[in-house]
Amino acid sequence: MAQSDDLAFFQHLARAGSLTATARILGLSLSAVSKRLKQLEARLGVSLASRTTRRLTLTPEGERYLVRGAAILEELGELEEALGAQRAELSGPLRINATFGFGRRHVAPLLSDFCARHPGVEASLELSNFPMMPGEQGVDIAVRVGRLPDSRLMARLILANRRVPCAAPAYVARMRRLDAPADLALHPCLVLRENDSDFAVWRFQRRGGDGEEQAVKVSGPLASNDGEVIVRMALDGHGVMLRSQWDVHEHLAAGRLVELLPGWQGVRADFHAVYRQRRHVPARIRTFVDHLANGMEGRVAIPDNRHFPSDTTSTS
C-alpha cells in the first residue's frame, strides 16, 4: 500500500478521535481499522497511539507523524493541482467551519451553489459555537465574526456588519424613554449567553463626531444561548435586544422590529473568511472564498457594506 495512503489513513484516524468513528467515516469494519493501524505501526517500528474502541490518544511519535504527514499530503496535493492547472474543473476536499446561525442561513446555501457548479469538489461544512482555526481538525476555511486572531492568516472580508439595538413596535409603544446606552439599565434586555463570553455587556459607538464609545451592563428576565430564540422573544415584545444587522435586517425593513438609539450604533462585528497563508493556496479555496464574498453582496442588504473594502489581506 502506498505510503501516502497510510498518511491519509492516519489523518482520518487522528481527526475522528477513535477507531469506531474512523470505521464509520471510512465505511470499514472496526477490526479492519484496528488491523491497518497495527500494520502501519509495525512498518514504522513505533507506537503511534494508545487506543480503545472509544478513544484514541496519540503518542509523541504519532503527533509527529500527524503533523509532518499533513504537510506532505498538502504539498502533494498542491503539486497535483499545479500539474493539472489547465483543467477547467476544480476538485479535491474543502472543509469549512462557521457559526450555527450564519452558517445555516448563508454559508450553507452558498456552498450548495458552489458544489453544483464544481461537482469535483468534496465539501464539508461544520457548524460550531466555538470557532475553529484554519488547519485545526483539517479546516481549510473558517468563517469568523468580530476581531481576527493575531496570527499569520489570510482574511477576506465577506460581510461588513454591526450589531443593532432593536425591539418590536408593541414594546416601543410602551417603553420608557431611551436616549443613551446608559438608559438600557431601565429596560428588560434579552441577553444572549454563549461561548462563555460576557454578552451582558453591550458596547456602542456614537454616530459621527468623535466616535465616542460606551459600554453598558444590561439585564432582563429572559435569556438564551441561541440567537434565533432571542430574536423570537424580541418579536414577541419582551424587550430590547442587540443583534447583528445580517440577522435582523429583514425584520427591520418589514417593520417587525424598530431600531433604537438613532444617535448610537453597535460595534463592528464583521465576517471574514480566514485561511492559511502558504506558498500556493489551492484554487478550490481561493475560488470558494471569492464565491462567498460575491454571494453575500446579494444576500444581505446592509448599507455599511459599501463603505468597507473586500480585498484579501494578511493579519499578523
Side-chain angles (χ1 to χ4, degrees):
M1 185 169 294
Q3 293 177 342
S4 60
D5 290 340
D6 281 342
L7 289 172
F9 165 74
F10 195 71
Q11 296 290 313
H12 282 295
L13 191 70
R15 290 170 190 162
S18 72
L19 297 175
T20 302
T22 304
R24 183 171 60 251
I25 292 170
L26 297 180
L28 300 172
S29 67
L30 179 60
S31 60
V33 171
S34 178
K35 180 180 179 181
R36 183 165 182 184
L37 178 56
K38 289 178 181 178
Q39 290 174 338
L40 175 57
E41 290 177 323
R43 182 173 68 80
L44 297 176
V46 296
S47 174
L48 297 174
S50 58
R51 62 270 195 185
T52 64
T53 55
R54 294 186 177 181
R55 186 176 180 183
L56 191 83
T57 303
L58 300 187
T59 63
E61 293 79 11
E63 292 283 0
R64 184 181 179 188
Y65 189 70
L66 176 67
V67 173
R68 293 291 299 276
I72 292 170
L73 287 174
E74 183 176 294
E75 287 194 13
L76 181 60
E78 291 176 359
L79 173 61
E80 292 180 349
E81 183 171 357
L83 292 174
Q86 294 81 9
R87 296 178 308 178
E89 68 273 10
L90 299 177
S91 63
L94 180 65
R95 189 170 186 188
I96 304 139
N97 173 255
T99 56
F100 280 102
F102 193 79
R104 288 193 191 107
R105 188 93 60 86
H106 297 297
V107 180
L110 288 172
L111 178 61
S112 175
D113 178 63
F114 181 80
C115 290
R117 300 184 187 190
H118 306 286
V121 173
E122 303 165 12
S124 171
L125 174 60
E126 183 163 343
L127 305 181
S128 61
N129 282 326
F130 291 91
M132 294 182 183
M133 295 295 293
E136 183 180 351
Q137 298 186 27
V139 170
D140 296 304
I141 302 169
V143 178
R144 303 286 300 261
V145 61
R147 293 182 178 178
L148 298 175
D150 182 15
S151 56
R152 295 186 60 82
L153 295 171
M154 298 298 293
R156 172 77 177 269
L157 178 66
I158 61 173
L159 180 68
N161 176 63
R162 286 189 182 274
R163 295 189 172 98
V164 180
C166 53
Y171 177 78
V172 173
R174 67 177 189 274
M175 68 184 291
R176 297 183 182 182
R177 188 179 179 90
L178 181 60
D179 296 319
D183 296 336
L184 286 167
L186 304 175
H187 292 263
C189 294
L190 304 170
V191 179
L192 177 70
R193 303 182 185 279
E194 62 180 3
N195 293 356
D196 298 326
S197 297
D198 189 2
F199 278 78
V201 175
W202 292 357
R203 294 175 173 82
F204 298 89
Q205 292 176 326
R206 188 184 295 275
R207 293 182 186 272
D210 58 2
E212 174 192 352
E213 294 191 9
Q214 285 192 16
V216 57
K217 189 172 180 63
V218 300
S219 62
L222 291 173
S224 177
N225 68 337
D226 183 80
E228 292 186 16
V229 172
I230 293 295
V231 173
R232 183 70 263 165
M233 290 176 176
L235 290 169
D236 289 342
H238 288 291
V240 179
M241 70 172 174
L242 185 69
R243 290 296 294 161
S244 284
Q245 287 173 307
W246 72 263
D247 194 20
V248 297
H249 71 106
E250 291 179 346
H251 293 304
L252 291 169
R256 293 186 292 269
L257 291 172
V258 178
E259 184 172 355
L260 306 173
L261 292 171
W264 297 81
Q265 58 190 1
V267 296
R268 294 271 295 275
D270 300 337
F271 284 84
H272 292 81
V274 184
Y275 54 99
R276 286 191 298 160
Q277 187 175 16
R278 61 183 93 172
R279 184 174 50 195
H280 174 75
V281 178
R284 61 185 178 277
I285 293 178
R286 288 185 281 105
T287 306
F288 181 68
V289 169
D290 288 342
H291 186 74
L292 270 181
N294 295 333
M296 286 308 304
E297 292 181 3
R299 297 187 63 84
V300 181
I302 295 178
D304 280 357
N305 273 1
R306 65 177 182 269
H307 298 305
F308 303 109
S310 58
D311 294 337
T312 301
T313 58
S314 173
T315 65
S316 58

